Amino acid sequence: MEDRLHLGAEEAAEIAKRAPFFMALKEFQDSSRSIFHMPGNLGGRTYSEEFARGYASLDTTELRPTGNVLTSEGPVALAEAAYNKLSGAGQTMFITQGSTTGIYAALATACKPGEKLYLPRTVHFSIIRAAALLDLELAFLPLQEADLALPIVDQANSLHLLEKACNPKVLLCSPDYYGRCLDIEKFAEVCHDRSGLLIVDEAHGAHLAAGFDFLPKSSLRQGADIVVSSLHKTLPALTGAAVLQLNERITAEFNEAARQALKLFHSTSPSFPIAASSDWARAYLELGEERLKRLLEAIEYLRENLPDNFSLYEAPLDLDPLHLLICFDSYVRPATVENCLGQKRIYAEMFGLNNFLCLLSVATEPDSLKLLAAELAKIELDNDQELAGLETALKSAYLCEPQIEISVREALLVRAKEARLLPLKELVGRVSMDIVAPYPPGLALLYPGQLIKKEHIQLIEDLLAAGFELSGVLDGKVKALVD
């Protein structure tokens, strides 16, 4: 008898014909395409043939030889210890449902129901939903205008605000979607001086754990207490791979609480292949210093060989080099450049009005950047100056602190049955009952519980007309509180 029985080729082909999602993914996984978006495993190219072909064979459950992903037993404990050694963490916990689950667990560990959470308004919308579930009061940190549509945290005024707080619980995002990094060390010092805790959503910075001196310093090494990283964004891990990490400073006090919180939000059926890919990604990163240096050389090649109307973004803050924001001197609809590159099977993470984001993996092939430079030279862009006004409106919306009429918990949970989908023209003066956000990057223009104003409606209409995808808008309607 054979050790393993596999589906016959004809039967497998017949089943595949009846599985449209499976077939769409299979057909899209063409090795000739250039990948400048998550996940960082580049469609499985970063794995050994055995791993790539044997994915399903790695799927198992909690057994003595395999260990337990959620309780740190057996080989899982060894993998976590290896991650601790690389990153300097006091404790690492694997997550197979994405960093959103880690954010929920981190906030549940650090905050009590009804407690105030300090954060910039430009956080990922998963954090807003976590605040609703955990009954947290949102206190917004000051922002300052930047040279992009997305503002940055006003560090000086935010630190001044926190210096007056007692036992503050603070959540920051660093790097942000554009790769801009905050001075986490200063925030950590203030939080600790005031007996508080600093949580960092480092979803876009898992590669910083290696501590290479040519990369920005990781949040954990700057003193953050709890850090959540999404491994699949820049490391060769499967989608859903993430880690929650505790600083050595608080591990003894919070380790068990964090474990319990993670069990509360995580499925009791964690994916062993995803967890195994996290272990693989850490080992890949450990051995990847020279590989990354070659990639940085390719980035410099790209910078020097971009056409005259394109340039790489230079940030006023420390900038992560794996976030390549390519700017151009014209305003165009996001689909314009996306379609031009898509015809050459080049796919980027996000497209804006006058830029697009290439999110690189530590495994990105340097030659792919040479191809990108060559293809950009063939693109001619017509300037639509009216779209410049849309960028200005977007900046203004993000800089303005939301006028919250009811809490996010009331809007999303307690009074959810009082919400109705209403046409945009009927929304002015009502209270939003959902998150409205361009996606990507998933940063709320309208918060649940926020008063909707005329300028919000105009901005939503203009964004839709320009071709942006807006989460929270369904067939031109948004959920609002109905009296």
Side-chain angles (χ1 to χ4, degrees), residues 173-245:
C173 177
S174 181
D176 68 7
Y177 210 85
Y178 294 127
R180 299 173 296 186
C181 300
L182 295 172
D183 189 342
I184 295 298
E185 190 168 354
K186 289 184 179 179
F187 281 95
E189 288 175 1
V190 170
C191 284
H192 299 161
D193 286 346
R194 304 301 298 162
S195 301
L197 289 171
L198 176 59
I199 304 160
V200 177
D201 174 3
E202 201 174 62
H204 278 255
H207 54 290
L208 304 182
F212 299 144
D213 58 11
F214 50 84
L215 294 177
K217 202 173 182 180
S218 73
S219 298
L220 204 59
R221 288 191 170 92
Q222 292 187 71
D225 297 297
I226 307 176
V227 176
V228 179
S229 298
S230 183
L231 306 190
H232 75 263
K233 287 182 170 61
T234 58
L235 298 184
L238 294 171
T239 298
V243 290
L244 185 154
Q245 295 184 292

Side-chain angles (χ1 to χ4, degrees), residues 328 332-342 351 356 376 379 381:
F328 32 92
V332 299
R333 294 172 181 269
T336 303
V337 178
E338 182 179 10
N339 291 339
C340 289
L341 293 178
F351 292 85
F356 68 97
L376 287 176
I379 296 178
L381 299 175

